[in-house]
Amino acid sequence: LNDEEEGASCYFEIRIQVDEITKDVSLMITDFAEEDEIDEAKMLWENQISDLKHVLGSA
């Protein structure tokens, strides 16, 4: 595969989910990373979410 074709199969999905009863808001992230990049992807998302919480004042 060339870079363009390979990149087409690597993507992530972000969903905002609101509980109808409690009104709690959850950020659901699904990252379709390569198997050998899973730990790196987890670390990236944990850092990004931590930064987001800090900016929002919920950390």
Side-chain angles (χ1 to χ4, degrees):
L1 295 173
N2 65 35
D3 288 342
E4 188 174 304
E5 291 170 344
E6 186 175 329
S9 65
C10 299
Y11 61 95
F12 60 90
E13 172 186 46
I14 298 177
R15 281 187 298 127
I16 297 173
Q17 184 172 317
V18 180
D19 186 286
E20 292 182 21
I21 297 171
T22 66
K23 303 301 180 197
D24 286 342
V25 177
S26 299
L27 185 63
M28 310 296 288
I29 300 171
T30 305
D31 189 339
F32 297 91
E34 296 293 331
E35 188 171 341
D36 62 339
E37 297 174 351
I38 291 175
D39 290 337
E40 185 179 318
K42 283 181 183 179
M43 192 177 346
L44 171 70
W45 285 113
E46 286 170 0
N47 288 334
Q48 295 299 317
I49 297 304
S50 177
D51 290 349
L52 177 62
K53 285 180 175 181
H54 180 75
V55 169
L56 294 175
S58 66

Short mmCIF file of all heavy atoms in Angstrom, two decimals:
data_model
loop_
_atom_site.label_atom_id
_atom_site.label_comp_id
_atom_site.label_asym_id
_atom_site.label_seq_id
_atom_site.Cartn_x
_atom_site.Cartn_y
_atom_site.Cartn_z
N LEU A 1 0.83 -1.20 0.00
CA LEU A 1 0.00 0.00 0.00
C LEU A 1 0.87 1.25 0.00
O LEU A 1 1.88 1.30 0.68
CB LEU A 1 -0.87 0.04 1.26
CG LEU A 1 -1.93 -1.03 1.43
CD1 LEU A 1 -2.54 -0.91 2.81
CD2 LEU A 1 -2.99 -0.94 0.39
N ASN A 2 0.44 2.25 -0.72
CA ASN A 2 1.16 3.52 -0.62
C ASN A 2 0.63 4.30 0.58
O ASN A 2 -0.33 3.89 1.22
CB ASN A 2 1.06 4.31 -1.93
CG ASN A 2 -0.36 4.75 -2.25
OD1 ASN A 2 -1.12 5.06 -1.36
ND2 ASN A 2 -0.70 4.78 -3.52
N ASP A 3 1.25 5.41 0.89
CA ASP A 3 0.88 6.18 2.09
C ASP A 3 -0.59 6.60 2.08
O ASP A 3 -1.26 6.56 3.09
CB ASP A 3 1.76 7.41 2.23
CG ASP A 3 3.18 7.06 2.64
OD1 ASP A 3 3.38 5.95 3.14
OD2 ASP A 3 4.08 7.91 2.45
N GLU A 4 -1.08 7.00 0.91
CA GLU A 4 -2.46 7.47 0.82
C GLU A 4 -3.43 6.33 1.11
O GLU A 4 -4.40 6.49 1.84
CB GLU A 4 -2.72 8.06 -0.56
CG GLU A 4 -4.06 8.72 -0.69
CD GLU A 4 -4.22 9.42 -2.02
OE1 GLU A 4 -3.37 10.28 -2.34
OE2 GLU A 4 -5.18 9.08 -2.73
N GLU A 5 -3.19 5.14 0.53
CA GLU A 5 -4.08 4.00 0.75
C GLU A 5 -4.00 3.54 2.20
O GLU A 5 -5.00 3.20 2.81
CB GLU A 5 -3.71 2.86 -0.18
CG GLU A 5 -4.03 3.13 -1.64
CD GLU A 5 -3.44 2.09 -2.57
OE1 GLU A 5 -2.55 1.34 -2.13
OE2 GLU A 5 -3.88 2.02 -3.72
N GLU A 6 -2.80 3.50 2.77
CA GLU A 6 -2.63 3.05 4.14
C GLU A 6 -3.34 4.00 5.10
O GLU A 6 -4.00 3.58 6.04
CB GLU A 6 -1.14 2.98 4.48
CG GLU A 6 -0.87 2.39 5.84
CD GLU A 6 0.61 2.22 6.10
OE1 GLU A 6 1.36 1.98 5.15
OE2 GLU A 6 0.99 2.32 7.28
N GLY A 7 -3.24 5.30 4.88
CA GLY A 7 -3.87 6.29 5.74
C GLY A 7 -5.38 6.18 5.74
O GLY A 7 -6.03 6.52 6.72
N ALA A 8 -5.96 5.69 4.66
CA ALA A 8 -7.42 5.58 4.57
C ALA A 8 -7.97 4.57 5.56
O ALA A 8 -9.12 4.67 5.97
CB ALA A 8 -7.82 5.20 3.15
N SER A 9 -7.17 3.59 5.99
CA SER A 9 -7.66 2.57 6.91
C SER A 9 -7.36 2.92 8.36
O SER A 9 -7.76 2.20 9.26
CB SER A 9 -7.04 1.22 6.56
OG SER A 9 -5.64 1.26 6.77
N CYS A 10 -6.66 4.01 8.61
CA CYS A 10 -6.31 4.43 9.97
C CYS A 10 -7.07 5.71 10.28
O CYS A 10 -6.80 6.75 9.68
CB CYS A 10 -4.80 4.66 10.08
SG CYS A 10 -3.82 3.22 9.73
N TYR A 11 -8.00 5.62 11.22
CA TYR A 11 -8.78 6.79 11.57
C TYR A 11 -9.31 6.64 12.98
O TYR A 11 -9.11 5.60 13.62
CB TYR A 11 -9.94 6.99 10.59
CG TYR A 11 -10.92 5.85 10.55
CD1 TYR A 11 -12.08 5.89 11.31
CD2 TYR A 11 -10.70 4.73 9.77
CE1 TYR A 11 -12.98 4.84 11.30
CE2 TYR A 11 -11.60 3.68 9.74
CZ TYR A 11 -12.74 3.74 10.50
OH TYR A 11 -13.63 2.71 10.49
N PHE A 12 -9.94 7.67 13.50
CA PHE A 12 -10.55 7.58 14.82
C PHE A 12 -11.93 8.21 14.78
O PHE A 12 -12.25 8.97 13.88
CB PHE A 12 -9.67 8.22 15.90
CG PHE A 12 -9.39 9.67 15.68
CD1 PHE A 12 -10.23 10.64 16.20
CD2 PHE A 12 -8.26 10.07 14.99
CE1 PHE A 12 -9.97 11.98 16.01
CE2 PHE A 12 -7.98 11.41 14.80
CZ PHE A 12 -8.83 12.36 15.31
N GLU A 13 -12.73 7.83 15.78
CA GLU A 13 -14.09 8.35 15.88
C GLU A 13 -14.26 8.95 17.27
O GLU A 13 -13.83 8.36 18.26
CB GLU A 13 -15.07 7.20 15.69
CG GLU A 13 -16.51 7.55 15.95
CD GLU A 13 -17.42 6.33 15.89
OE1 GLU A 13 -17.08 5.29 16.47
OE2 GLU A 13 -18.47 6.46 15.25
N ILE A 14 -14.86 10.13 17.34
CA ILE A 14 -15.16 10.77 18.62
C ILE A 14 -16.67 11.00 18.69
O ILE A 14 -17.26 11.56 17.78
CB ILE A 14 -14.43 12.12 18.76
CG1 ILE A 14 -12.92 11.91 18.73
CG2 ILE A 14 -14.85 12.82 20.04
CD1 ILE A 14 -12.11 13.18 18.78
N ARG A 15 -17.26 10.50 19.78
CA ARG A 15 -18.71 10.70 19.99
C ARG A 15 -18.92 11.36 21.35
O ARG A 15 -18.23 11.05 22.30
CB ARG A 15 -19.45 9.36 20.02
CG ARG A 15 -19.70 8.75 18.68
CD ARG A 15 -20.59 7.51 18.78
NE ARG A 15 -19.94 6.47 19.56
CZ ARG A 15 -20.50 5.86 20.62
NH1 ARG A 15 -21.70 6.17 21.01
NH2 ARG A 15 -19.85 4.92 21.27
N ILE A 16 -19.87 12.26 21.43
CA ILE A 16 -20.29 12.84 22.70
C ILE A 16 -21.60 12.17 23.06
O ILE A 16 -22.56 12.20 22.29
CB ILE A 16 -20.45 14.36 22.60
CG1 ILE A 16 -19.11 14.99 22.26
CG2 ILE A 16 -21.02 14.91 23.90
CD1 ILE A 16 -19.17 16.47 21.96
N GLN A 17 -21.62 11.54 24.23
CA GLN A 17 -22.80 10.78 24.66
C GLN A 17 -23.35 11.43 25.93
O GLN A 17 -22.62 11.64 26.89
CB GLN A 17 -22.38 9.34 24.92
CG GLN A 17 -23.51 8.41 25.28
CD GLN A 17 -23.00 6.98 25.32
OE1 GLN A 17 -22.24 6.54 24.46
NE2 GLN A 17 -23.39 6.25 26.34
N VAL A 18 -24.65 11.74 25.93
CA VAL A 18 -25.30 12.35 27.08
C VAL A 18 -26.31 11.35 27.64
O VAL A 18 -27.18 10.87 26.92
CB VAL A 18 -26.01 13.66 26.70
CG1 VAL A 18 -26.69 14.28 27.91
CG2 VAL A 18 -25.03 14.64 26.06
N ASP A 19 -26.17 11.05 28.94
CA ASP A 19 -27.10 10.15 29.61
C ASP A 19 -28.42 10.89 29.80
O ASP A 19 -28.46 11.99 30.36
CB ASP A 19 -26.53 9.72 30.96
CG ASP A 19 -27.40 8.68 31.63
OD1 ASP A 19 -28.49 9.04 32.14
OD2 ASP A 19 -27.00 7.50 31.64
N GLU A 20 -29.52 10.30 29.33
CA GLU A 20 -30.82 10.97 29.38
C GLU A 20 -31.30 11.21 30.81
O GLU A 20 -32.00 12.18 31.08
CB GLU A 20 -31.86 10.15 28.61
CG GLU A 20 -31.62 10.12 27.12
CD GLU A 20 -32.68 9.34 26.37
OE1 GLU A 20 -33.79 9.16 26.91
OE2 GLU A 20 -32.39 8.94 25.23
N ILE A 21 -30.95 10.32 31.73
CA ILE A 21 -31.43 10.44 33.11
C ILE A 21 -30.55 11.36 33.94
O ILE A 21 -31.03 12.29 34.58
CB ILE A 21 -31.53 9.04 33.76
CG1 ILE A 21 -32.57 8.20 33.00
CG2 ILE A 21 -31.91 9.15 35.25
CD1 ILE A 21 -32.60 6.75 33.39
N THR A 22 -29.24 11.10 33.94
CA THR A 22 -28.33 11.85 34.80
C THR A 22 -27.77 13.11 34.15
O THR A 22 -27.20 13.95 34.82
CB THR A 22 -27.14 10.98 35.24
OG1 THR A 22 -26.35 10.65 34.08
CG2 THR A 22 -27.61 9.72 35.94
N LYS A 23 -27.90 13.20 32.82
CA LYS A 23 -27.34 14.30 32.03
C LYS A 23 -25.81 14.32 32.06
O LYS A 23 -25.19 15.30 31.68
CB LYS A 23 -27.89 15.66 32.48
CG LYS A 23 -29.39 15.77 32.43
CD LYS A 23 -29.92 15.52 31.03
CE LYS A 23 -31.44 15.64 31.00
NZ LYS A 23 -32.03 15.06 29.83
N ASP A 24 -25.20 13.22 32.51
CA ASP A 24 -23.74 13.10 32.46
C ASP A 24 -23.30 13.07 31.01
O ASP A 24 -23.96 12.46 30.16
CB ASP A 24 -23.25 11.82 33.16
CG ASP A 24 -23.35 11.89 34.67
OD1 ASP A 24 -23.45 13.01 35.21
OD2 ASP A 24 -23.30 10.82 35.30
N VAL A 25 -22.19 13.72 30.72
CA VAL A 25 -21.65 13.77 29.37
C VAL A 25 -20.38 12.93 29.31
O VAL A 25 -19.50 13.08 30.15
CB VAL A 25 -21.34 15.23 28.95
CG1 VAL A 25 -20.72 15.27 27.57
CG2 VAL A 25 -22.59 16.08 29.01
N SER A 26 -20.31 12.04 28.32
CA SER A 26 -19.13 11.20 28.13
C SER A 26 -18.57 11.44 26.74
O SER A 26 -19.30 11.65 25.78
CB SER A 26 -19.50 9.71 28.24
OG SER A 26 -20.01 9.42 29.52
N LEU A 27 -17.25 11.43 26.66
CA LEU A 27 -16.56 11.54 25.39
C LEU A 27 -16.08 10.15 25.04
O LEU A 27 -15.26 9.57 25.75
CB LEU A 27 -15.38 12.51 25.52
CG LEU A 27 -14.61 12.83 24.26
CD1 LEU A 27 -15.52 13.53 23.25
CD2 LEU A 27 -13.41 13.71 24.59
N MET A 28 -16.62 9.58 23.97
CA MET A 28 -16.29 8.21 23.56
C MET A 28 -15.34 8.28 22.37
O MET A 28 -15.69 8.86 21.33
CB MET A 28 -17.56 7.46 23.17
CG MET A 28 -18.68 7.54 24.19
SD MET A 28 -18.30 6.78 25.75
CE MET A 28 -18.35 5.08 25.31
N ILE A 29 -14.14 7.72 22.53
CA ILE A 29 -13.14 7.76 21.47
C ILE A 29 -12.81 6.34 21.05
O ILE A 29 -12.48 5.49 21.88
CB ILE A 29 -11.86 8.47 21.93
CG1 ILE A 29 -12.18 9.91 22.34
CG2 ILE A 29 -10.80 8.43 20.84
CD1 ILE A 29 -11.05 10.62 23.00
N THR A 30 -12.91 6.08 19.76
CA THR A 30 -12.51 4.79 19.19
C THR A 30 -11.42 5.08 18.17
O THR A 30 -11.64 5.82 17.21
CB THR A 30 -13.70 4.10 18.50
OG1 THR A 30 -14.77 3.98 19.43
CG2 THR A 30 -13.31 2.73 18.00
N ASP A 31 -10.24 4.54 18.42
CA ASP A 31 -9.10 4.77 17.53
C ASP A 31 -8.77 3.46 16.83
O ASP A 31 -8.49 2.46 17.49
CB ASP A 31 -7.91 5.27 18.35
CG ASP A 31 -6.75 5.73 17.48
OD1 ASP A 31 -6.67 5.33 16.30
OD2 ASP A 31 -5.92 6.50 17.99
N PHE A 32 -8.85 3.45 15.52
CA PHE A 32 -8.55 2.26 14.74
C PHE A 32 -7.07 2.27 14.37
O PHE A 32 -6.69 2.46 13.23
CB PHE A 32 -9.44 2.22 13.49
CG PHE A 32 -10.90 2.10 13.84
CD1 PHE A 32 -11.67 3.24 14.00
CD2 PHE A 32 -11.48 0.86 14.03
CE1 PHE A 32 -13.02 3.13 14.33
CE2 PHE A 32 -12.82 0.76 14.36
CZ PHE A 32 -13.59 1.90 14.52
N ALA A 33 -6.23 2.08 15.40
CA ALA A 33 -4.78 2.11 15.23
C ALA A 33 -4.27 0.74 14.82
O ALA A 33 -4.93 -0.29 15.02
CB ALA A 33 -4.11 2.54 16.53
N GLU A 34 -3.07 0.74 14.28
CA GLU A 34 -2.40 -0.52 13.95
C GLU A 34 -2.07 -1.24 15.26
O GLU A 34 -1.85 -0.60 16.29
CB GLU A 34 -1.12 -0.26 13.17
CG GLU A 34 -1.34 0.39 11.82
CD GLU A 34 -2.06 -0.53 10.84
OE1 GLU A 34 -1.90 -1.77 10.94
OE2 GLU A 34 -2.78 -0.01 9.97
N GLU A 35 -2.04 -2.56 15.23
CA GLU A 35 -1.83 -3.35 16.44
C GLU A 35 -0.55 -2.96 17.18
O GLU A 35 -0.54 -2.89 18.40
CB GLU A 35 -1.80 -4.84 16.09
CG GLU A 35 -1.79 -5.73 17.31
CD GLU A 35 -1.96 -7.19 16.96
OE1 GLU A 35 -2.44 -7.51 15.87
OE2 GLU A 35 -1.60 -8.01 17.82
N ASP A 36 0.51 -2.68 16.45
CA ASP A 36 1.78 -2.33 17.09
C ASP A 36 1.83 -0.88 17.56
O ASP A 36 2.82 -0.46 18.15
CB ASP A 36 2.96 -2.62 16.15
CG ASP A 36 2.91 -1.80 14.87
OD1 ASP A 36 1.82 -1.32 14.49
OD2 ASP A 36 3.97 -1.65 14.24
N GLU A 37 0.75 -0.13 17.37
CA GLU A 37 0.69 1.27 17.81
C GLU A 37 -0.34 1.51 18.90
O GLU A 37 -0.60 2.65 19.27
CB GLU A 37 0.38 2.16 16.61
CG GLU A 37 1.44 2.13 15.53
CD GLU A 37 1.05 2.91 14.29
OE1 GLU A 37 -0.11 3.35 14.20
OE2 GLU A 37 1.91 3.08 13.42
N ILE A 38 -0.92 0.44 19.44
CA ILE A 38 -2.01 0.58 20.42
C ILE A 38 -1.56 1.30 21.69
O ILE A 38 -2.21 2.23 22.14
CB ILE A 38 -2.64 -0.79 20.74
CG1 ILE A 38 -3.40 -1.29 19.51
CG2 ILE A 38 -3.57 -0.70 21.94
CD1 ILE A 38 -3.97 -2.68 19.64
N ASP A 39 -0.43 0.87 22.27
CA ASP A 39 0.03 1.51 23.50
C ASP A 39 0.33 2.99 23.28
O ASP A 39 -0.02 3.83 24.11
CB ASP A 39 1.28 0.80 24.04
CG ASP A 39 0.96 -0.58 24.59
OD1 ASP A 39 -0.21 -0.83 24.96
OD2 ASP A 39 1.88 -1.42 24.64
N GLU A 40 0.94 3.31 22.15
CA GLU A 40 1.25 4.70 21.82
C GLU A 40 -0.04 5.50 21.64
O GLU A 40 -0.15 6.64 22.11
CB GLU A 40 2.09 4.74 20.55
CG GLU A 40 2.57 6.12 20.17
CD GLU A 40 3.43 6.09 18.91
OE1 GLU A 40 4.27 5.18 18.77
OE2 GLU A 40 3.25 6.99 18.08
N ALA A 41 -1.03 4.92 20.99
CA ALA A 41 -2.31 5.62 20.77
C ALA A 41 -3.02 5.86 22.10
O ALA A 41 -3.58 6.94 22.33
CB ALA A 41 -3.20 4.81 19.83
N LYS A 42 -2.99 4.86 23.00
CA LYS A 42 -3.62 5.04 24.31
C LYS A 42 -2.97 6.18 25.08
O LYS A 42 -3.64 7.01 25.68
CB LYS A 42 -3.51 3.75 25.14
CG LYS A 42 -4.47 2.68 24.73
CD LYS A 42 -4.30 1.47 25.63
CE LYS A 42 -5.20 0.33 25.21
NZ LYS A 42 -5.02 -0.85 26.07
N MET A 43 -1.64 6.23 25.05
CA MET A 43 -0.92 7.28 25.75
C MET A 43 -1.26 8.65 25.16
O MET A 43 -1.48 9.62 25.90
CB MET A 43 0.59 7.03 25.67
CG MET A 43 1.37 7.90 26.61
SD MET A 43 3.17 7.64 26.67
CE MET A 43 3.45 6.12 25.86
N LEU A 44 -1.34 8.73 23.84
CA LEU A 44 -1.69 9.98 23.19
C LEU A 44 -3.07 10.46 23.64
O LEU A 44 -3.24 11.61 24.03
CB LEU A 44 -1.67 9.82 21.66
CG LEU A 44 -2.23 10.99 20.88
CD1 LEU A 44 -1.30 12.19 20.98
CD2 LEU A 44 -2.48 10.61 19.44
N TRP A 45 -4.08 9.56 23.59
CA TRP A 45 -5.43 9.96 23.96
C TRP A 45 -5.53 10.31 25.44
O TRP A 45 -6.24 11.26 25.82
CB TRP A 45 -6.44 8.86 23.60
CG TRP A 45 -6.70 8.84 22.12
CD1 TRP A 45 -6.37 7.85 21.24
CD2 TRP A 45 -7.30 9.87 21.34
NE1 TRP A 45 -6.74 8.21 19.97
CE2 TRP A 45 -7.31 9.44 19.99
CE3 TRP A 45 -7.83 11.12 21.64
CZ2 TRP A 45 -7.83 10.22 18.97
CZ3 TRP A 45 -8.35 11.89 20.61
CH2 TRP A 45 -8.35 11.43 19.30
N GLU A 46 -4.83 9.58 26.31
CA GLU A 46 -4.85 9.90 27.74
C GLU A 46 -4.29 11.30 27.97
O GLU A 46 -4.85 12.07 28.76
CB GLU A 46 -4.05 8.86 28.52
CG GLU A 46 -4.78 7.53 28.63
CD GLU A 46 -3.91 6.41 29.20
OE1 GLU A 46 -2.73 6.65 29.52
OE2 GLU A 46 -4.43 5.29 29.32
N ASN A 47 -3.21 11.64 27.28
CA ASN A 47 -2.63 12.98 27.43
C ASN A 47 -3.56 14.04 26.87
O ASN A 47 -3.72 15.12 27.48
CB ASN A 47 -1.27 13.05 26.72
CG ASN A 47 -0.21 12.28 27.45
OD1 ASN A 47 -0.28 12.08 28.66
ND2 ASN A 47 0.79 11.82 26.72
N GLN A 48 -4.18 13.78 25.72
CA GLN A 48 -5.08 14.76 25.12
C GLN A 48 -6.31 15.00 26.00
O GLN A 48 -6.75 16.14 26.18
CB GLN A 48 -5.50 14.31 23.72
CG GLN A 48 -4.38 14.24 22.72
CD GLN A 48 -3.71 15.58 22.50
OE1 GLN A 48 -4.36 16.61 22.39
NE2 GLN A 48 -2.39 15.58 22.47
N ILE A 49 -6.86 13.93 26.55
CA ILE A 49 -8.05 14.06 27.41
C ILE A 49 -7.69 14.78 28.70
O ILE A 49 -8.44 15.61 29.20
CB ILE A 49 -8.68 12.68 27.70
CG1 ILE A 49 -9.18 12.05 26.40
CG2 ILE A 49 -9.81 12.79 28.72
CD1 ILE A 49 -10.16 12.88 25.61
N SER A 50 -6.51 14.48 29.24
CA SER A 50 -6.03 15.18 30.43
C SER A 50 -5.92 16.68 30.17
O SER A 50 -6.36 17.50 30.99
CB SER A 50 -4.69 14.60 30.87
OG SER A 50 -4.18 15.31 31.97
N ASP A 51 -5.35 17.05 29.02
CA ASP A 51 -5.25 18.46 28.65
C ASP A 51 -6.63 19.09 28.49
O ASP A 51 -6.86 20.23 28.94
CB ASP A 51 -4.46 18.63 27.34
CG ASP A 51 -2.98 18.33 27.49
OD1 ASP A 51 -2.50 18.18 28.63
OD2 ASP A 51 -2.30 18.23 26.44
N LEU A 52 -7.56 18.37 27.88
CA LEU A 52 -8.92 18.88 27.70
C LEU A 52 -9.59 19.12 29.06
O LEU A 52 -10.21 20.17 29.27
CB LEU A 52 -9.75 17.91 26.86
CG LEU A 52 -11.21 18.27 26.64
CD1 LEU A 52 -11.35 19.60 25.89
CD2 LEU A 52 -11.93 17.15 25.90
N LYS A 53 -9.45 18.16 29.97
CA LYS A 53 -10.03 18.32 31.32
C LYS A 53 -9.44 19.55 32.00
O LYS A 53 -10.16 20.31 32.67
CB LYS A 53 -9.76 17.08 32.16
CG LYS A 53 -10.60 15.90 31.81
CD LYS A 53 -10.23 14.74 32.71
CE LYS A 53 -11.09 13.54 32.53
NZ LYS A 53 -10.68 12.45 33.44
N HIS A 54 -8.15 19.74 31.85
CA HIS A 54 -7.49 20.88 32.47
C HIS A 54 -8.05 22.20 31.91
O HIS A 54 -8.37 23.13 32.67
CB HIS A 54 -5.98 20.80 32.24
CG HIS A 54 -5.22 21.93 32.85
ND1 HIS A 54 -4.99 22.01 34.19
CD2 HIS A 54 -4.66 23.03 32.28
CE1 HIS A 54 -4.31 23.12 34.44
NE2 HIS A 54 -4.10 23.75 33.29
N VAL A 55 -8.20 22.28 30.60
CA VAL A 55 -8.72 23.48 29.96
C VAL A 55 -10.16 23.74 30.40
O VAL A 55 -10.57 24.88 30.61
CB VAL A 55 -8.64 23.37 28.42
CG1 VAL A 55 -9.41 24.46 27.73
CG2 VAL A 55 -7.17 23.40 27.97
N LEU A 56 -10.94 22.67 30.56
CA LEU A 56 -12.35 22.81 30.94
C LEU A 56 -12.51 23.06 32.43
O LEU A 56 -13.61 23.36 32.89
CB LEU A 56 -13.13 21.55 30.54
CG LEU A 56 -13.25 21.30 29.04
CD1 LEU A 56 -13.94 19.96 28.81
CD2 LEU A 56 -13.99 22.43 28.36
N GLY A 57 -11.43 22.87 33.20
CA GLY A 57 -11.50 23.07 34.65
C GLY A 57 -12.09 21.90 35.40
O GLY A 57 -12.55 22.06 36.52
N SER A 58 -12.08 20.72 34.81
CA SER A 58 -12.65 19.55 35.49
C SER A 58 -11.57 18.56 35.91
O SER A 58 -11.88 17.46 36.31
CB SER A 58 -13.66 18.86 34.58
OG SER A 58 -13.01 18.30 33.45
N ALA A 59 -10.30 18.96 35.84
CA ALA A 59 -9.21 18.04 36.21
C ALA A 59 -8.97 18.09 37.70
O ALA A 59 -9.22 19.01 38.38
CB ALA A 59 -7.93 18.42 35.46
#
